Amino acid sequence: MNIAVFSVTENGRQLSLRVAEALSAEHRVSRYCFHKHTDDNSAVFWNMGSMVGRLFERSDAFIFVCACGIAVRAAAPYLGSKPDDPAIIVMDDCGRFVIPVLSGHIGGANNLAETIAEALGSTAVITTSDDEAGGFSLERFAAANDLIIYNERAAKELTSAVRGDDKIGFFSSYRHGGMPEELTEFGVCRTGICIDKDASQKPFGITVNLVPKNIVLGIRCKSGASHELIKETVSDIIGNIDIRRVREAAVLSGQDENKALKECFSELGIPLKTVTAQELEGAAQQLSEPHSQCESIALMCSGGKLIISETGSEDISAAVCEAPVYIDFERQG
């Protein structure tokens, strides 16, 4: 999600930093501070309403660290219909309460509020009822099964259809179980979910594409490899694969001491896992044929299949594996 965080006081500015840290691993977060209380990592505004208007069409959520009345007046002129409106959350600048005030279910404001509250030790004040939410939550289901939601507008319409007791179509290229009664694999449905690595498939009139986060990188890195070379090699080897699909990168113990390697993967938002020589040797013995170090690491950590063999340079190389996927509807957070 594209999230805009607004603050108007010094306490609010400091709190907006903590909110951004809590959400930036999964979302694109931008901070906007009133000109009297700002910092180098935020944009400055003088008129909140005008800035909200400039950002409204390209933002999925707004988080206001200020009085509720200020937030409502800033956003109200731009509100339209439920499927189109962004999630809106208000926080007091002491960080005690996190209140979703708009698009709680459809826009994901409730889930965002709970995530923020857990990270900051605050209280999420959820005012929508469980009955209003319906039994199936797309956001919780996707998060629990490591699935990326590719089209937010369709996701909002699907959530609205669930609340309206419409039957939701379902297609998956992967094994699955425990499917809830709201979804069906049979008949003709206007709205549905498609789980596949190809996000361009549209089996329903309104299709929510969910793509698995199941790519694992095996890395071999020498101490002299630069930040730029590491980033370039990662970009080259994953090619057309969406980098958000990369679940983790793994490297042999000792090589993970490369500061540039750690900084690069931290910047990319990809967890870096360390494999010991003993673990790698044991895994290599289980393979039916010889593989390079990168390939063996990727195969060991993914438990799946090699889709891109080792490539790169003398200083940095990588291999790519695709981990198996099982979709479990009982697992919802």
Side-chain angles (χ1 to χ4, degrees), residues 36-51:
K36 292 183 178 180
H37 306 284
T38 187
D39 55 60
D40 293 340
N41 296 316
S42 66
V44 179
F45 70 86
W46 278 258
N47 183 293
M48 183 184 289
S50 297
M51 181 64 79

Side-chain angles (χ1 to χ4, degrees), residues 50 64 87 107 135 155 159 167 172 175 184 188 197 199 229 232 274 299 304 319 327:
S50 297
F64 295 96
T159 302
K167 210 65 174 176
S172 175
R175 294 189 307 117
T184 179
V188 178
K197 63 184 178 182
L229 180 60
E232 181 181 333
T274 301
L299 286 164
I327 305 301

Side-chain angles (χ1 to χ4, degrees), residues 5-16 31-38 42-43 45-49 52 63-71 74 90-94:
V5 184
F6 280 80
S7 63
V8 297
T9 65
E10 177 56 23
N11 279 348
R13 182 194 69 79
Q14 295 178 29
L15 191 59
S16 74
R31 295 170 51 243
Y32 301 86
C33 298
F34 186 54
H35 68 94
K36 292 183 178 180
H37 306 284
T38 187
S42 66
F45 70 86
W46 278 258
N47 183 293
M48 183 184 289
V52 169
I63 299 171
F64 295 96
V65 187
C66 63
C68 191
I70 295 174
V90 174
M91 302 176 62
D92 65 289
D93 67 3
C94 292

